[in-house]
Amino acid sequence: MNKINNLEHTIQKAKEGNQIAFSRLLDMFWNDVYGFQLKRTENENDSEDITIQTFSKAFDKIDTFDQAYVFKTWLITISKNIHIDLVRKRKKSLLDSRSTSEAVTTVLDVEPSMEDKLIQEQNLADLLQDIKRLKPHYQEVINLRYFNELSYADIAKKLNEPMNNVKVKLLRAKKLLSEIIKERK
């Protein structure tokens, strides 16, 4: 299967709610969106937050994606709009205002991913040291999900964030943690 057909297949699976497909899309396009925002904002934290929001919104609205267009361009457009909104909010000093009409898609935890299996296999002391190497907001979602055993909805409520943001942060945190663990081996 060539790259284009593979991407179309992955997008179709994501439209059907397949979490592995969401994870693949995140892996494929994270650096593109993050790099784009880093050039715009010149701020790592803002870039990361905007990228998380981009994937959250993209996963929420994936059923509206028209495959006649380029997926990366669609993501960049979402990212650009989120950045514009952020700048407007900051100019109006409305940093704390959040949308309450956030649509939520249900993504089921069907089977542990490779990252989940690696995380579960680690010695707890080593794992805790590895988690400490993550940025604080990634540490927090990992701790809430795996040590406090909170659901996505409970984490979203505790962090006062949309559930899709929590899902994207957790996907990204697991990916980064997996890379740290592999690096140590």
Side-chain angles (χ1 to χ4, degrees):
M1 192 181 297
N2 67 32
K3 277 187 175 180
I4 294 173
N5 287 340
N6 190 23
L7 177 59
E8 289 173 357
H9 177 74
T10 303
I11 292 168
Q12 186 54 45
K13 286 291 196 188
K15 284 183 175 186
E16 295 167 7
N18 182 303
Q19 187 172 359
I20 293 168
F22 286 132
S23 184
R24 281 191 189 130
L25 292 172
L26 182 74
D27 290 345
M28 279 189 251
F29 295 101
W30 177 272
N31 289 339
D32 294 320
V33 176
Y34 178 77
F36 173 78
Q37 281 304 327
L38 194 55
K39 286 178 186 171
R40 285 176 71 99
T41 65
E42 298 178 350
N43 180 303
E44 287 182 15
N45 291 331
D46 283 350
S47 298
E48 202 163 81
D49 288 344
I50 292 168
T51 302
I52 287 168
Q53 290 176 41
T54 298
F55 281 96
S56 174
K57 186 170 271 188
F59 293 163
D60 188 39
K61 304 290 185 187
I62 192 133
D63 59 321
T64 67
F65 173 70
D66 181 350
Q67 293 196 340
Y69 299 99
V70 178
F71 190 74
K72 178 179 166 182
T73 305
W74 184 67
L75 287 173
I76 295 294
T77 302
I78 293 170
S79 175
K80 192 185 307 181
N81 290 337
I82 289 170
H83 180 245
I84 289 167
D85 289 346
L86 179 69
V87 169
R88 284 182 186 149
K89 283 180 186 176
R90 284 183 178 168
K91 283 182 180 176
K92 294 179 181 179
S93 299
L94 296 173
L95 291 173
D96 294 328
S97 68
R98 300 203 178 195
S99 173
T100 55
S101 62
E102 194 69 41
V104 176
T105 58
T106 303
V107 179
L108 300 174
D109 290 328
V110 181
E111 187 177 317
S113 67
M114 186 176 74
E115 290 90 359
D116 287 329
K117 290 176 185 172
L118 275 172
I119 290 168
Q120 292 168 355
E121 292 171 3
Q122 291 302 308
N123 176 299
L124 185 58
D126 289 341
L127 180 60
L128 292 173
Q129 288 295 30
D130 293 338
I131 290 171
K132 287 180 182 176
R133 292 177 58 192
L134 295 171
K135 290 186 178 180
H137 61 276
Y138 289 142
Q139 289 179 31
E140 186 174 28
V141 293
I142 289 281
N143 286 327
L144 291 172
R145 179 71 171 163
Y146 294 104
F147 294 101
N148 296 342
E149 298 179 354
L150 296 181
S151 68
Y152 290 132
D154 290 340
I155 296 169
K157 189 174 183 180
K158 184 170 182 70
L159 299 179
N160 194 26
E161 288 190 27
M163 190 175 348
N164 278 345
N165 282 18
V166 169
K167 290 177 184 179
V168 172
K169 275 186 185 177
L170 195 56
L171 278 172
R172 185 69 181 152
K174 289 189 311 186
K175 171 93 172 132
L176 293 171
L177 185 56
S178 174
E179 289 170 6
I180 289 169
I181 291 167
K182 286 177 187 174
E183 177 184 296
R184 185 171 38 83
K185 284 188 172 187

